[in-house]
Every structure is written in C-alpha cells, then in structure tokens.
Amino acid sequence: MKIDRLSLFTFPRRLRFPLPWILAPVFFAFLTLQIHALDEEIVIGRENGWGRVRYDHTMQEHRGFQGYSDILLSDAAYEPDDATDLLLHFDSPSPEPSLLVSSADTTGRIRWENPARYSLNPANIEAENRLRVFGSGAALFSGKESRLNLSAGPGSLFFPGTDWRDFTFEFWLYPAETESVQQLLFWEGVTLPGEWGTTSRTQNIRCTMGSNRLIWQFTNLFRPPMQQEFSLELKGQRELLPRQWHHHMVRFSAETGLLEYLIDGIMEDFAYANSENRETGVVFTPLTGSASRRDLSIGTGLEGVMDELRISSVFRSNIPPAPYQDRQGTAIIGPLDLEHAASRLVSVKSSFSTPGDSDIFFYYALNQTPFAMAIDDAGWIPFTPGGIFSPETRGRYLHLMAALYPDGMEQYSPVLSDISVVYTPDLPPSPPGKVTALPQDGGVHLSWESVPDPDVQGYKIYYGTSPGRYFGNDAAEGSSPVDAGNTTEMTLTGLTNGRLYYFTVVAYDNSPRPFQTLFSMEVSARPRRLSSDSGGGM
C-alpha cells in the first residue's frame, strides 16, 4: 500500500493562511523535496489480506477487527489416527450446505467427497461459528426435527457383523437446556440366530439427556457366554447446567471389561462387562449384529451445540486437550520487495494482542535475494515492532517472521491483525549522460559520463539497426546488450561498414539480480573506412 503523499500536507484549519508571495517559491521547493523523500509503506493484513504467508501451526480466522482475517495459533482439535473410526470437526462445508463437518480426514475414514467408512444422509442442522471449542465451527441442533444421520460402511464399527474390542465415544456439548429428554446418540442392531444364542436379539446404544444428566445405555451389545440378554447403564452424577461446554466420554477396555463414563476427564459412573462385574472375570466383547441397520443417529431432538465428535477403536486417554495444548506456531511473511538493493528499512509496526500471558516474538531478515527463508535459518534477527531501525539497515528483500506462543494454561492464543513496513526506497541512478558514438572501420567507439552513484557496478551497451530496437548481434563483443564493465568507454568491433547502428547505454547496480537504469539518450553511427586508407572510399 502506498501512502497518499499529498494528504500528508493538508494543513489543520487554524494553520491555513495565504503565503506571502516572496515565500511561495521557497515553500514549493521544500514541498517538492519532501514528496521525493517520503517513505513508502506496505501493509499486510486487514483489508489487504495476508497474501503468500507460510504457516506452521498457525491459521487465519475471519473473526478479527471489522471482520478482517487475523492470524492465530491452530487449536488442539483432534487429528485422525489409525484408531479413528469417525471424526466430525464440524468446520468445513459438506455436501449438505447447512452442515459443517470434517472433510480433511487424512485416513480416508470420513471424507465426504469420497466416503469410505461412513456416508452422510440428509441432515437438518446448522453451522455455528461463534460457539465452538476447536476449529472454526460447531454443529447447531435446534429441536425435534434436528438430527445428523450417518450410514456405516465396510470397516466401520457399526457395519453389520463387526466384532469390536476397545472403543471410545466422545464429544463436546453445549446444551441450551438440560431438563427435557433429548437424544444425543442412537444406534439399533439385530443379531441373527447363531451369532448370540439360538434366537435373534435386538441391540441398541443410546445416549440421552434429561433431568440435567446424561445417561448411556448399552442393550445386548456385549455378549455373555451364557447367551442371556445383557445390558449396562451409566449415569452422570453431576447436574449439567445449560449453556456450558463439557467434554463427554464413554470408553471400554476389552482387557478388563471396564466401561466408564467421564465428564471433563473425571469419572462419573462405571460398570464391568464381564462375568464378575469387577476387574476380573471373563470379558463380554461387543458385536454389531449381522441384521443390524447401518444408521447412526446424532442429536435427535437436541437443542444446543456439539463439537468434535469422535468414535475410536481404542481406549482413549481421559484427559481432553486444552484449546492450545502443546501449541506454538510461526507465520513467515515475504519476501517483500523494497524495490532497490540499498533501500532503507525504517520501521515495522504491528497490531496484535496477547491475552493472558500469551506472546508473539518478531524477527526480520533483509538481504539481496528473493529466496524463501526457513524457520530455523540463522539469519533471523529479533526486533520489537514500532521501533526505528538504524540507517544502515538496508537491502532489497525483506523477510518477516512472527512466532506465536499460548498462555501458560494453554487456553488463549495471541492474535496478529496486521503488519506494516515503512521503508525509504533507494532511488535508481540516473542514466549515463553525454553519450557519443565515433565511427571506425568495422566498428564504433562509444563513450559516456560516469553516473555518480555508489550503487553503480558497471554499464551495458545496447545496439541495433533500427531506432529504439536494440537487438543487434553482429558485434565481435557479443549480442546486445554488451557488458562494458565499470568503465566509461568501449569500442564495438566486427560491425558492417556502411550500415547505420543505433546505441544507448545503461548503468546497473551490484544486486544479485542487477537493477538497470533507464536508457540513455540514443546515438547513432555508421562504420566506414577512414579517408586515409589506401583504397579510398568504402
């Protein structure tokens, strides 16, 4: 972004007065000098966006000042692993426009564009972007007609005829009210004769909320060797209050038969699916009956918000992650082109916030190459935004890095809203002056005045046979342009006598990709034999 230079010279109302005519030339001369000496500004973020920023454990979220995109740490949302059977982040759009679900499960177990283990049936839930635990969204359920239906595919726990071992169900819940009966999860199955005794049996898994508590019921999911019916029920001990987030988890160990229900990592109730109803005895393992329906229903009649629903084929840890657990990240910006090799970096400012004791560390690197820098590159220099750099801080390509750290409790992320770079461009040198061209036999001798600029490294001669078209290639010194080095004269040889050639000279600087001045005034000459030559004429 360029500063509007003229707006900087708008006088306050009380200072507007007619200038005496005798001072007018002095004032306008001063004004001209100030305009040419003004710094330039580049703004990243806010309405300009973040452009080509490289991230590591950071992300952009459109929830910043005036709706612009800020940079924050990416949160500790669950990541799929080999034991992930189903994972719903409720972040990115699915084929159902009103539904936000995960479409980035790298295991392929829940990828809506190419369903592998589960497919999505018509749903009636909405996206919620303000109330969420992780990521950028959650699922808003709004009553009796609101539900999410999934159909189990081969390889999933709920596919008919599947033997289970360990499992974990978990989700975050923000109920609008907790007294009325609301069904959070439901599955129904049927075993065939021979799978569990000589008759078929109805199975179900049900999680309901009512009277301010959650109740988990498992009917005929676990198979006792005596082939009788077998059910387990787990009930929350604490009363749940509306409009509060809690993490709910049910997990089962096939080694001990322990089935337990936890809220926020604290055990609420437990039971044993074994012959002794304690930590010893023959464990009853779960089975999905071969005649079971494939449907898994989520949130039927729920009024509230759900986030991070995960079903796993392992006995998961009971500790739910903090929002920014084990998180720190970086955002690398640039390279930003400051136009010229010796441009001066004046200052780098930033708008950011550090809630709690979160923090952001800033680094810069200024050099002559546009190549990207790595996080662990030794060239990064720490700085504090808003300060003034020394006049010797010069270069063409500016790299910036922001390192983001959460607070000590890992509950808050720092927020980076914008970065603005103020620099003084190193104005390009003027083109060489007083260029002359003297014809010779088969050549032309060129000379010019040196350019009084410390950045000038040398000069190049452009030539051709048409005005303004410098594509010559018949000089012995090479095709156009010919590098004359750091000198003020050169003779091009091997040219054709009688042919008119046009010439111009440029100066170039010492940057890795040399910057050239504008063309000098064009001159022309026609090589020929000198009159003193024995042949006379041409």
Side-chain angles (χ1 to χ4, degrees):
M1 175 184 289
K2 307 295 184 184
I3 293 178
D4 184 355
R5 293 168 171 149
L6 293 180
S7 67
L8 298 179
F9 291 91
T10 302
F11 286 100
R13 183 180 301 275
R14 65 178 181 273
L15 294 181
R16 291 178 182 167
F17 52 86
L19 291 171
W21 283 107
I22 192 169
L23 296 179
V26 176
F27 172 78
F28 285 109
F30 170 78
L31 178 61
T32 303
L33 285 174
Q34 291 301 305
I35 289 177
H36 285 296
L38 278 178
D39 297 328
E40 301 286 354
E41 184 178 29
I42 302 172
V43 177
I44 306 105
R46 300 296 191 199
E47 65 271 19
N48 296 319
W50 289 99
R52 296 176 62 184
V53 179
R54 290 178 288 130
Y55 300 102
D56 177 58
H57 288 122
T58 58
M59 62 183 294
Q60 294 185 47
E61 289 197 8
H62 293 271
R63 65 178 188 185
F65 179 68
Q66 295 182 350
Y68 298 127
S69 178
D70 290 339
I71 292 179
L72 302 87
L73 287 169
S74 57
D75 56 41
Y78 295 132
E79 296 182 358
D81 56 26
D82 291 340
T84 303
D85 188 69
L86 172 66
L87 175 58
L88 300 182
H89 294 300
F90 302 107
D91 289 340
S92 56
S94 77
E96 186 82 7
S98 65
L99 176 65
L100 292 188
V101 297
S102 171
S103 60
D105 187 336
T106 56
T107 68
R109 294 189 174 89
I110 181 69
R111 186 186 302 278
W112 299 122
E113 294 81 359
N114 183 22
R117 290 199 171 187
Y118 291 87
S119 57
L120 175 68
N121 295 324
N124 185 25
I125 62 176
E126 299 177 3
E128 172 56 54
N129 301 116
R130 296 168 301 169
L131 292 172
R132 63 194 188 278
V133 180
F134 298 114
S136 58
L140 175 62
F141 294 79
S142 53
K144 198 171 284 188
E145 301 301 322
S146 182
R147 68 173 59 87
L148 169 62
N149 293 317
L150 301 169
S151 182
S156 66
L157 291 178
F158 289 98
F159 189 75
T162 302
D163 278 298
W164 299 19
R165 290 193 60 78
D166 293 359
F167 67 82
T168 303
F169 300 164
E170 58 186 312
F171 51 80
W172 290 82
L173 185 66
Y174 182 94
E177 59 95 13
T178 58
E179 293 186 358
S180 63
V181 176
Q182 304 169 59
Q183 187 164 272
L184 306 182
L185 183 147
F186 180 74
W187 169 82
E188 187 173 42
V190 178
T191 63
L192 294 176
E195 289 183 313
W196 185 345
T198 58
T199 61
S200 62
R201 295 183 187 276
T202 300
Q203 305 173 286
N204 64 63
I205 301 174
R206 189 190 308 266
C207 176
T208 56
M209 180 169 57
S211 301
N212 304 315
R213 287 175 172 81
L214 251 63
I215 300 174
W216 293 85
Q217 296 169 310
F218 296 85
T219 303
N220 294 329
L221 178 71
F222 303 95
R223 293 173 295 171
M226 297 76 72
Q227 302 180 2
Q228 75 273 24
E229 293 197 356
F230 183 80
S231 299
L232 291 176
E233 180 178 287
L234 302 178
K235 185 175 182 179
Q237 301 304 308
R238 77 179 82 175
E239 289 192 358
L240 298 176
L241 298 177
R243 295 179 177 83
Q244 291 186 9
W245 280 110
H246 291 288
H247 179 260
H248 299 268
M249 170 186 282
V250 163
R251 59 183 183 173
F252 173 73
S253 169
E255 181 179 355
T256 63
L258 173 65
L259 179 71
E260 59 180 352
Y261 169 41
L262 306 98
I263 298 178
D264 299 332
I266 300 174
M267 188 171 65
E268 295 284 308
D269 197 4
F270 71 95
Y272 282 93
N274 64 26
S275 58
E276 303 295 331
N277 194 25
R278 58 185 181 183
E279 201 171 343
T280 60
V282 178
V283 174
F284 307 158
T285 57
L287 166 73
T288 304
S290 296
S292 300
R293 299 178 59 186
R294 300 186 185 185
D295 291 347
L296 176 64
S297 178
I298 308 294
T300 304
L302 171 63
E303 293 189 5
V305 183
M306 182 180 291
D307 202 3
E308 295 296 304
L309 169 67
R310 181 170 68 168
I311 299 176
S312 308
S313 57
V314 293
F315 188 82
R316 294 283 189 186
S317 166
N318 66 314
I319 302 175
Y324 297 100
Q325 182 174 319
D326 300 324
R327 286 300 196 261
Q328 64 182 56
T330 57
I332 298 179
I333 301 167
L336 304 175
D337 191 350
L338 306 189
E339 303 180 52
H340 306 292
S343 293
R344 180 196 167 191
L345 179 61
V346 177
S347 69
V348 178
K349 295 174 284 186
S350 178
S351 299
F352 63 92
S353 61
T354 52
D357 53 0
S358 63
D359 213 339
I360 304 180
F361 295 165
F362 292 88
Y363 304 84
Y364 82 96
L366 188 60
N367 51 47
Q368 304 298 349
T369 60
F371 306 116
M373 293 185 63
I375 294 174
D376 56 355
D377 197 296
W380 292 109
I381 301 172
F383 74 95
T384 301
I388 303 297
F389 293 96
S390 69
E392 291 73 34
T393 309
R394 294 178 178 270
R396 177 165 181 177
Y397 295 101
L398 175 64
H399 307 255
L400 298 170
M401 180 169 67
L404 283 69
Y405 300 90
D407 69 301
M409 299 297 292
E410 299 180 320
Q411 298 293 315
Y412 302 104
S413 168
V415 179
L416 179 62
S417 295
D418 64 38
I419 292 180
S420 61
V421 175
V422 179
Y423 69 98
T424 303
D426 180 37
L427 297 178
S430 57
K434 295 186 178 179
V435 180
T436 61
L438 298 177
Q440 295 183 355
D441 185 4
V444 173
H445 181 79
L446 295 124
S447 63
W448 55 89
E449 282 188 342
S450 63
V451 176
D453 191 297
D455 293 337
V456 170
Q457 182 73 14
Y459 301 88
K460 290 182 180 180
I461 300 171
Y462 286 79
Y463 70 97
T465 56
S466 299
R469 296 179 60 82
Y470 309 117
F471 305 113
N473 59 10
D474 47 352
E477 289 70 23
S479 300
S480 176
V482 175
D483 193 337
N486 195 7
T487 183
T488 58
E489 59 180 339
M490 185 177 189
T491 299
L492 296 186
T493 61
L495 305 180
T496 303
N497 284 341
R499 176 176 292 175
L500 184 60
Y501 291 87
Y502 296 85
F503 304 90
T504 185
V505 181
V506 299
Y508 61 86
D509 64 16
N510 57 2
S511 61
R513 295 184 178 182
F515 178 82
Q516 295 186 169
T517 66
L518 299 175
F519 289 134
S520 71
M521 180 184 66
E522 184 181 83
V523 295
S524 62
R526 195 186 303 271
R528 64 181 184 276
R529 293 182 182 178
L530 300 178
S531 57
S532 59
D533 288 350
S534 58
M538 297 179 62

